[in-house]
């Protein structure tokens, strides 16, 4: 999950058609399993040397076709895009979904240092991660601008990619996290602490090793359930007294299966959570490094999609920013803003078909 108000366009220019009724749970599980199996048949995997790291990349679609770079957030991996990859391939695009640095089967620099209260998180600034993406595109032969589609932390990274290297981006679809301009007055974590207090999840994450110990106490699968099932349209808190009990029962939402949870858990059991948490810990360092871009605009065509139950959409001031011109001011080529009704934060998995349709309809304008 991302940093919200640090991060909110103009009014909703269109709402999706109502979704058809969901089938009964057992039938729904069968349908989702069949769809996932079909998607997996078109997805291939490889490891690429980029920016001094080994990055795992999932791919689908014809080589040489227009490339779509898919950037995931926390706590996910390339696997979050499994549904969209099949749809993009069927539409004739070449989908590239890396495990971002620190996640899945990609390298996690600095993770051991941070678990020992070191400064490894400083290897997760926007400069480092954007360096990974540029090097990745070069390594796979994508020298021309690509389409970028990004969710959560991936979206924050994508906005920074557009800000720092607009020459590498043809157009952007950002989900859940809008672009917001850098505030010269206050570091982002300081602002969040003043707004929400020390128990706000981003503030709790800041001290290396502490939240890792809490996640270890709860267990990987339960931590993932707690994040993925979160639908409260408001801030997420992790009290110092504990984020619940290891015996908590958290029912899964309808759009994710036990098999999906086990897949994610297998990756986080292997890498730990530190790599993903380091993005949050590097927020203030990124703020320092991006000072020269204070007040700069995003000069890339963009579309923004968010669910109306997404916690990011309910950060104080964000809806005014989105709907009253602030977003459009800083992203002048903003083409469309879509607010999806009754949809939470993990929108790309909760509404995979609708999201795929929004992505493809937008990038076709530039194909």
């Amino acid at each position: 999950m991302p940093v919200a108000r640090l991060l909110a366009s103009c009014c909703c220019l269109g709402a999706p058609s109502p979704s058809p009724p969901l089938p009964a749970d057992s039938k729904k599980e069968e349908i989702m399993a069949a769809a996932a199996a079909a998607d997996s048949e078109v997805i291939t995997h490889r490891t690429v040397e980029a920016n001094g790291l080994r990055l795992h990349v999932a791919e689908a679609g014809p080589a040489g076709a227009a490339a779509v770079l898919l950037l995931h957030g926390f706590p996910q991996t390339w696997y979050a895009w499994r549904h969209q990859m099949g749809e993009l391939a069927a539409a004739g695009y070449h989908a590239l979904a890396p495990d971002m640095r620190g996640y899945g089967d990609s390298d996690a620099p600095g993770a051991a240092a941070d678990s020992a209260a070191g400064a490894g998180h400083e290897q997760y600034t926007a400069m480092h991660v954007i360096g990974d993406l540029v090097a990745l595109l070069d390594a796979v032969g994508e020298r021309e601008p690509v389409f970028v589609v990004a969710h959560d932390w991936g979206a924050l990274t994508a906005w920074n990619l557009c800000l720092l290297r607009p020459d590498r981006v043809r157009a952007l679809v950002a989900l859940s996290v809008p672009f917001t301009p850098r505030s010269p007055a206050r570091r982002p974590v300081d602002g969040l602490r003043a707004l929400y207090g020390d128990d706000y999840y981003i503030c709790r994450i800041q001290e290396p090793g502490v939240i890792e110990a809490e996640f270890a106490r709860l267990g990987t699968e339960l931590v993932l359930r707690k994040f993925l099932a979160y639908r409260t349209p408001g801030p997420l808190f992790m009290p110092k007294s504990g984020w619940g009990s290891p015996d908590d029962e958290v029912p899964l939402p309808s759009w994710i299966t036990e098999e999906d949870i086990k897949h994610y858990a297998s990756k986080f059991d292997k890498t730990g959570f530190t790599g993903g948490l380091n993005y949050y810990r590097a927020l203030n360092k990124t703020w320092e490094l991006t000072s020269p871009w204070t007040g700069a605009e995003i000069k890339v065509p963009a579309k923004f999609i968010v669910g109306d139950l997404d916690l990011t959409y309910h950060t104080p001031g964000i809806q005014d920013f989105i709907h009253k011109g602030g977003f459009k001011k800083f992203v002048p080529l903003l083409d469309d803003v879509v607010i999806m009704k009754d949809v939470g934060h993990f929108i790309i998995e909760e509404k995979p078909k609708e999201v795929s349709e929004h992505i493809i309809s937008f990038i076709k304008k530039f194909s």
Side-chain angles (χ1 to χ4, degrees):
M1 291 186 180
V3 201
R5 165 66 191 147
L6 304 165
L7 319 171
S9 148
C10 41
C11 24
C12 175
L13 304 178
S17 301
S19 300
L22 287 171
D25 285 347
S26 59
K27 185 65 175 175
K28 177 180 62 189
E29 290 284 333
E30 292 176 13
I31 292 172
M32 291 178 71
D39 290 339
S40 67
E41 290 177 4
V42 303
I43 296 173
T44 61
H45 300 265
R46 61 169 154 160
T47 298
V48 173
E49 298 281 343
N51 200 24
L53 303 178
R54 293 170 300 164
L55 299 179
H56 165 251
V57 187
E59 296 179 81
V68 183
L69 180 64
L70 302 163
L71 306 180
H72 69 82
F74 180 87
Q76 295 167 297
T77 64
W78 76 267
Y79 186 77
W81 297 106
R82 61 198 179 279
H83 304 298
Q84 286 76 27
M85 293 185 75
E87 297 282 354
L88 286 164
Y93 295 97
H94 181 202
L96 295 159
D99 284 337
M100 307 290 279
R101 77 162 49 200
Y103 287 93
D105 295 318
S106 290
D107 284 347
D114 252 343
S115 64
H121 60 275
E122 293 195 355
Q123 298 180 57
Y124 289 78
T125 70
M127 301 302 186
H128 290 86
V129 182
I130 291 167
D132 294 348
L133 299 179
V134 172
L136 170 64
L137 293 173
D138 288 345
V140 299
E142 294 293 344
R143 304 286 176 156
E144 297 297 319
V146 300
F147 296 112
V148 179
V149 181
H151 172 250
D152 185 79
W153 259 104
L156 180 54
T157 298
W159 289 118
N160 281 323
L161 175 63
C162 293
L163 188 66
L164 303 177
R165 290 300 305 269
D167 58 305
R168 302 308 296 260
V169 183
R170 198 167 179 181
L172 168 67
V173 179
L175 297 109
S176 292
V177 179
F179 176 76
T180 53
R182 178 186 182 276
S183 167
R186 178 182 280 180
R187 299 187 303 175
V189 176
D190 298 348
L192 289 169
R193 185 170 279 112
L195 183 62
Y196 292 121
D198 290 338
D199 283 350
Y200 183 58
Y201 78 107
I202 292 173
C203 300
R204 288 277 284 125
I205 285 169
Q206 294 304 307
E207 187 176 350
V210 173
I211 208 68
E212 285 93 334
E214 175 67 0
F215 287 178
R217 182 183 71 85
L218 294 172
T220 303
E221 286 198 21
L222 180 57
V223 169
L224 291 167
R225 285 172 177 268
K226 282 176 173 283
F227 276 117
L228 294 171
Y230 190 83
R231 286 180 67 83
T232 302
L236 172 63
F237 294 99
M238 295 179 178
K240 291 183 178 63
S241 58
W243 196 30
S245 162
D247 298 323
D248 288 346
E249 293 186 6
V250 181
L252 290 179
S254 61
W255 44 266
I256 195 164
T257 67
E258 293 288 345
E259 290 71 23
D260 295 331
I261 288 290
K262 290 185 183 306
H263 176 89
Y264 281 128
S266 71
K267 299 304 178 183
F268 284 101
D269 280 338
K270 171 186 165 187
T271 64
F273 286 96
T274 298
L277 297 172
N278 278 343
Y279 287 72
Y280 298 95
R281 292 169 179 154
L283 272 168
N284 282 351
K285 189 63 177 179
T286 289
W287 177 85
E288 293 175 13
L289 295 173
T290 53
S291 177
W293 289 271
T294 301
E297 297 176 354
I298 299 291
K299 297 293 184 65
V300 170
K303 179 173 184 170
F304 178 66
I305 307 170
V306 67
D308 67 346
L309 299 180
D310 194 324
L311 75 168
T312 66
Y313 190 58
H314 292 271
T315 306
I318 207 73
Q319 293 185 31
D320 281 349
F321 180 84
I322 289 174
H323 298 298
K324 295 184 178 179
F327 196 2
K328 183 71 172 178
K329 175 183 176 182
F330 284 95
V331 188
L333 299 181
L334 184 68
D335 181 81
D336 196 8
V337 173
V338 178
I339 313 299
M340 296 183 71
K341 186 173 176 55
D342 298 324
V343 179
H345 179 69
F346 295 96
I347 189 170
I348 62 177
E349 294 187 87
E350 183 174 352
K351 292 293 181 182
K353 187 166 185 60
E354 293 91 332
V355 167
S356 296
E357 289 170 351
H358 278 299
I359 293 168
I360 293 168
S361 68
F362 178 66
I363 66 178
K364 273 185 174 178
K365 296 179 180 181
F366 307 93
S367 299

